[in-house]
């Protein structure tokens, strides 16, 4: 994921910062506990495409 792109992208719901999960190839919003997929190198920033993180799922601080 391009660092410059990550710096300008925000959560479409709360406008908070997103964190890149390289292993899952997702952008994570810690505040809303949502994971937005990245398909073919393009972030899919649609609420209906986001995956809700399970309560027990660890949200990485990296």
């Amino acid at each position: 994921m391009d660092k410059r792109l990550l710096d300008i992208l925000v959560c479409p719901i709360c406008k908070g910062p997103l964190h890149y999960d390289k292993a899952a190839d997702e952008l994570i919003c810690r505040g809303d506990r949502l994971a937005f997929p990245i398909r073919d190198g393009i972030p899919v920033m649609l609420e209906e495409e986001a995956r809700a993180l399970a309560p027990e799922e660890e949200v990485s601080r990296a």
Side-chain angles (χ1 to χ4, degrees):
M1 178 102 251
D2 184 359
K3 173 75 170 120
R4 293 175 292 166
L5 180 60
L6 189 55
D7 286 343
I8 62 171
L9 285 176
V10 295
C11 174
I13 299 159
C14 71
K15 309 302 184 236
L18 295 169
H19 305 276
Y20 179 52
D21 181 348
K22 186 175 183 176
D25 206 23
E26 295 176 321
L27 293 175
I28 306 293
C29 175
R30 293 181 184 141
D32 292 323
R33 296 196 52 83
L34 292 173
F36 296 92
I38 299 173
R39 297 189 186 123
D40 298 322
I42 301 169
V44 181
M45 305 303 295
L46 300 171
E47 184 176 1
E48 54 272 6
E49 292 288 328
R51 175 178 69 84
L53 299 175
E56 66 277 357
E57 194 168 353
E58 181 70 25
V59 179
S60 170
R61 294 287 171 197

